[in-house]
Amino acid sequence: MIYLSVFLLFLLNPIYAWKAEGSCQLLELYTSEGCSSCPPADRWISSLKKSPALWTEVVPISFHVNYWDYIGWKDRFAKKEYGDRQRNYANTWKINTVYTPGIVLQGKESEMHAGLTSVEQRLDAEWDRKKLVLKGEKIPTGTIIHFAWLGLDISSAIKKGENAGKTLKHDFVVLSSGDLGAFDQRKEINFRFPEGLNETPRALAIWLEKNHVPIVAIGNYL
C-alpha cells in the first residue's frame, strides 16, 4: 500500500530536473582568455554568484569569443558564433568594431555595475531531462526561444599569450547554446542534456528574443 501511494504521488508530482521562473534581464559578457583586460570583468561576473539578484533579477552568461585566439592562446570555450553574436549587436548599434570585455544588458551596450530595470514579461519553465515546457505572460508574437548551458567554478591555467602564467577563474561560461524556435505557450519541446562538452553544465539559462533583442530571461542551477 505504501509503494502504491509513493507511485501515485510521483505521477501527480513529477520530479523536475530543472525549474525556473521570473522576469529577469539577460546580462551578456563577451570575454576571452587571451585578453589581458578581461580578468577583472570575469571576476565581476563571478561575483554575481553571491548577489540576491541572481536568477531573480538578472541571468548572467559569459560568451568566450575566438577573435583573440591568434595572439598566442586558444581559448577552449571560444566559438566563432559567439563573436558573430557580438558583431550582430555592433551592427545594430551602428558601431564598427567589437571588443573585450564587452557587456550587453538586455540587448544594449552596458558596463559593469550598471543598474537593473524591471521586465514586463514573465517566463516559467519546467524540464524533466526529456521535455521542456514554457509558459509566459505578456509575451509578444514572433519571439524566439534561446538557451545556454553554463559552466561554473572553472579554472584555466594560461600558458601563452597576454595572460601567460595566470590561472583564470570563470563562472556562467556558455558551454553550448542555441535556439528552440518560436515561443508557443505550453508546447512541449524535446530537450536533452548535452553530451561531449569540455565541462559539465551546472546551470541553464533560457531567454526569449524578438528581432534579435532579449526581452525576458530565466535561469537556475541544475
Side-chain angles (χ1 to χ4, degrees):
M1 190 66 177
I2 294 177
Y3 294 116
L4 179 59
S5 298
V6 171
F7 178 71
L8 292 175
L9 182 63
F10 175 78
L11 290 179
L12 294 173
N13 299 283
I15 299 174
Y16 290 99
W18 180 85
K19 295 177 72 172
E21 59 185 23
S23 302
C24 296
Q25 291 187 288
L26 184 70
L27 173 65
E28 304 170 56
L29 171 64
Y30 291 86
T31 185
S32 169
E33 291 184 341
C35 161
S36 61
S37 301
C38 288
D42 293 332
R43 290 192 293 270
W44 166 70
I45 203 167
S46 290
S47 72
L48 294 177
K49 290 192 297 184
K50 299 180 180 180
S51 171
L54 178 64
W55 312 137
T56 60
E57 298 179 62
V58 66
V59 173
I61 61 177
S62 182
F63 286 110
H64 285 229
V65 297
N66 72 346
Y67 51 77
W68 294 129
D69 284 1
Y70 78 95
I71 60 176
W73 180 254
K74 182 175 175 58
D75 190 326
R76 62 192 173 113
F77 301 110
K79 293 184 179 180
K80 179 181 181 297
E81 54 261 40
Y82 302 161
D84 290 343
R85 179 178 173 88
Q86 189 184 21
R87 292 184 185 93
N88 287 337
Y89 278 131
N91 291 335
T92 299
W93 304 330
K94 300 186 185 306
I95 61 176
N96 297 322
T97 188
V98 291
Y99 57 89
T100 55
I103 298 170
V104 181
L105 181 62
Q106 208 68 351
K108 297 181 179 179
E109 192 173 21
S110 188
E111 57 187 18
M112 288 188 286
H113 310 293
L116 299 173
T117 59
S118 61
V119 175
E120 181 181 4
Q121 291 78 20
R122 178 182 174 86
L123 193 61
D124 296 355
E126 294 179 338
W127 177 60
D128 64 0
R129 291 188 173 268
K130 295 180 181 179
K131 302 286 186 179
L132 174 70
V133 178
L134 299 175
K135 296 182 289 184
E137 296 178 9
K138 300 183 179 180
I139 306 298
T141 59
T143 57
I144 303 299
I145 306 164
H146 290 257
F147 69 89
W149 298 99
L150 306 178
L152 294 160
D153 301 314
I154 294 171
S155 294
S156 288
I158 311 303
K159 299 179 180 179
K160 298 180 181 179
E162 292 185 352
N163 291 314
K166 296 180 181 179
T167 297
L168 302 182
K169 307 291 186 180
H170 303 309
D171 289 290
F172 307 111
V173 177
V174 177
L175 304 174
S176 177
S177 68
D179 73 74
L180 298 169
F183 175 78
D184 186 353
Q185 190 79 262
R186 297 178 181 271
K187 178 184 177 181
E188 288 191 348
I189 303 168
N190 290 323
F191 193 64
R192 303 285 180 135
F193 196 81
E195 297 180 355
L197 303 181
N198 53 13
E199 293 283 345
T200 301
R202 300 270 303 282
L204 172 62
I206 290 180
W207 68 96
L208 301 183
E209 292 186 8
K210 185 175 176 64
N211 299 325
H212 306 291
V213 176
I215 60 171
V216 62
I218 54 174
N220 208 346
Y221 297 114
L222 291 165

